[in-house]
Amino acid sequence: MRRHERIDRLVGEHAARLSERLQQHRAQLFPPNARKEMRKFAAGEVADLLGVKDSYLRKLHLDGKAPDVEMRGNGRRYYTSEDIQALRVQLEKGAKVPGTYRPGRRDGDHLQVVTVINFKGGSGKTTTAAHLAQKAALDGYRVLAIDLDPQASLSALHGFQPEFDLLDGGTLYDAIRYEDPCPLRDVIQKSYFTNLDIIPGNLDLMEFEYDSPRVMTERSGSLFFTRVGDKLAEVEADYDLVVIDCPPQLGYLTMSALSAATAVLVTVHPQMLDVMSMCQFLLMTSNLLGVVSDAGGNMDYDWMRYVVTRYEPGDGPQNQMVSFMRSMFGEHVLNHTVLKSTAISDAGITKQTLYEVEKSAFTRTTYDRARESLDAVNGEIEALIQQAWGR
């Protein structure tokens, strides 16, 4: 006679085994108590990031106007992310156009809150959010990345394993819960990336989904959709840009993040099933945000864009789908696409982004194509942020 298995116990057992194996994997990558560290950047890379020639960078060193950096056996200079920011400060002093090297907010500029959303998993949402946050930090913006997805992939990319590192809370839920919320600064963690702070996520975030209907039923006067925005106001002066990685569903967390946003980025994998799914997502989003707007929520955005992800230029149906989207949505589709690349996926295996991995780990053309595509997409988003500030 066939034995029946209790699904709750089976799933729990599998989760425990997987969690233990992931912890072992992390221990191999990073010894106990070690924190992730950012690699160093070669001089050519730094010159590209700063928008100057390598020869000019060398002259700064000869003139004693650059920080002391590591010199390796071949006479090449290698810079930490702190060194890059120090150079930005130095170069900005002599810049003809203010903000050339430090492009963040000035007096009167509002905090930019970019919410990254999609209804369907596998659209590259977390990858897009992580690379945007990291590139903005390298470019001199003060960035806060918020992992609002209980699955916590953005957190994992930045060295957090939720079931081990967040045993006593430490997610955004602690700051937005209805009873005894803590100050937002209590859950912000410094990352190994200069200029990039993070609020990690874990399953605690699901509590907000359970609490909100109860509070609404009690008519206590607490509005769920203002809670993320109200908390961001506490640290507004500390950042230029907030990047929120939302869960892949339209719940109270996503709605609250959308209400706090100044801009929305929708990731789209250019295949028919994904686009059909996005259609349903947009219909639901419109209906629900209409309700939030009627209840007093702010629905004014600086911009909204679709970004095509995991794009394969040689795939005919994908090209047709991209053309279809451009004809439908026009300028609301970013001009550049994120290419599907083994460099991006392989970097993810070691919980890294393309900005973190050593270039030497890949063939040059593979790395360069992926990096160029990400830089182009992030450059386009940066231009939208600058435009929102009137520049």
Side-chain angles (χ1 to χ4, degrees):
M1 187 174 175
R2 189 168 176 273
R3 183 172 62 88
H4 291 282
E5 291 185 286
R6 274 189 53 172
I7 189 70
D8 57 335
R9 290 177 181 169
L10 182 65
V11 169
E13 179 191 324
H14 287 181
R17 280 159 54 187
L18 180 59
S19 178
E20 183 182 354
R21 185 59 60 88
L22 287 171
Q23 178 67 350
Q24 290 170 2
H25 176 64
R26 184 172 78 157
Q28 289 170 354
L29 288 174
F30 315 107
N33 303 320
R35 297 298 294 265
K36 279 185 76 174
E37 289 185 0
M38 185 60 189
R39 70 175 173 91
K40 293 190 175 179
F41 295 79
E45 253 187 305
V46 175
D48 286 342
L49 281 167
L50 296 173
V52 300
K53 287 188 165 34
D54 196 8
S55 56
Y56 181 66
L57 202 52
R58 197 177 305 116
K59 184 175 185 303
L60 287 175
H61 283 278
L62 292 172
D63 294 345
K65 294 179 179 178
D68 291 331
V69 298
E70 179 188 342
M71 297 286 288
R72 296 188 184 170
N74 53 12
R76 293 181 177 176
R77 301 181 307 279
Y78 283 82
Y79 299 73
T80 64
S81 52
E82 290 94 335
D83 295 333
I84 297 171
Q85 300 312 323
L87 279 167
R88 287 190 179 282
V89 172
Q90 178 66 32
L91 289 167
E92 185 66 27
K93 292 175 183 173
K96 293 175 182 174
V97 179
T100 301
Y101 301 101
R102 301 188 75 193
R105 290 165 68 195
R106 302 176 206 161
D107 288 345
D109 293 340
H110 59 282
L111 176 69
Q112 282 284 296
V113 182
V114 178
T115 299
V116 187
I117 59 172
N118 193 291
F119 195 42
K120 202 171 189 296
S123 67
K125 176 178 59 64
T126 297
T127 304
T128 301
H131 284 94
L132 171 60
Q134 291 187 359
K135 182 59 162 62
L138 285 171
D139 286 342
Y141 293 86
R142 300 168 302 159
V143 184
L144 174 64
I146 301 177
D147 194 348
L148 213 54
D149 188 344
Q151 296 175 79
S153 299
L154 185 75
S155 305
L157 266 177
H158 289 89
F160 296 95
Q161 191 165 334
E163 66 268 36
F164 291 101
D165 299 330
L166 300 173
L167 295 173
D168 299 318
T171 72
L172 188 69
Y173 174 69
D174 295 350
I176 64 173
R177 64 191 175 208
Y178 296 95
E179 295 171 10
D180 193 28
C182 71
L184 191 65
R185 283 189 177 85
D186 289 359
V187 294
I188 293 175
Q189 305 225 25
K190 290 283 178 193
S191 79
Y192 48 92
F193 240 88
T194 306
N195 276 4
L196 176 58
D197 294 346
I198 186 168
I199 299 177
N202 71 4
L203 290 173
D204 288 355
L205 290 162
M206 289 302 296
E207 296 295 327
F208 190 71
E209 303 290 352
Y210 306 140
D211 292 346
S212 295
R214 174 182 56 79
V215 171
M216 289 165 69
T217 303
E218 292 169 357
R219 301 183 185 280
S220 64
S222 294
L223 296 171
F224 77 87
F225 56 81
T226 63
R227 300 192 76 77
V228 172
D230 289 347
K231 281 295 170 178
L232 287 178
E234 296 177 4
V235 297
E236 183 178 356
D238 300 340
Y239 300 101
D240 305 310
L241 170 65
V242 177
V243 178
I244 304 178
D245 184 30
C246 287
Q249 72 257 356
L250 261 182
Y252 294 101
L253 285 168
T254 302
M255 300 293 285
S256 190
L258 285 168
S259 297
T262 61
V264 176
L265 195 61
V266 183
T267 56
V268 189
H269 185 215
Q271 290 192 338
M272 180 55 77
L273 286 176
D274 294 73
V275 173
M276 287 169 65
S277 172
M278 185 186 76
C279 178
Q280 297 304 306
F281 173 69
L282 294 176
L283 286 169
M284 283 191 292
T285 304
S286 173
N287 292 336
L288 289 170
L289 288 182
V291 173
V292 170
S293 179
D294 291 343
N298 178 25
M299 292 295 112
D300 291 333
Y301 294 124
D302 291 327
W303 51 268
M304 173 194 165
R305 292 293 186 275
Y306 300 96
V307 56
V308 175
T309 57
R310 298 175 57 220
Y311 177 53
E312 300 172 79
D315 186 316
Q318 283 200 19
N319 284 326
Q320 288 179 347
M321 195 54 65
V322 171
S323 297
F324 169 71
M325 287 184 58
R326 292 198 193 286
S327 67
M328 289 282 290
F329 304 132
E331 67 171 16
H332 291 287
V333 182
L334 289 182
N335 292 319
H336 297 95
T337 60
V338 180
L339 297 179
K340 183 177 183 180
S341 171
T342 53
I344 296 173
S345 54
D346 287 358
I349 291 172
T350 53
K351 297 182 183 175
Q352 291 180 296
T353 68
L354 210 62
Y355 296 122
E356 298 177 72
V357 291
E358 294 287 353
K359 192 174 181 177
S360 57
F362 306 95
T363 59
R364 183 167 183 171
T365 51
T366 301
Y367 177 90
D368 287 349
R369 280 182 74 244
R371 178 71 186 265
E372 282 167 15
S373 106
L374 283 165
D375 285 352
V377 165
N378 289 327
E380 214 175 327
I381 294 168
E382 182 188 11
L384 289 165
I385 289 169
Q386 290 288 328
Q387 191 177 327
W389 287 334
R391 299 179 206 159

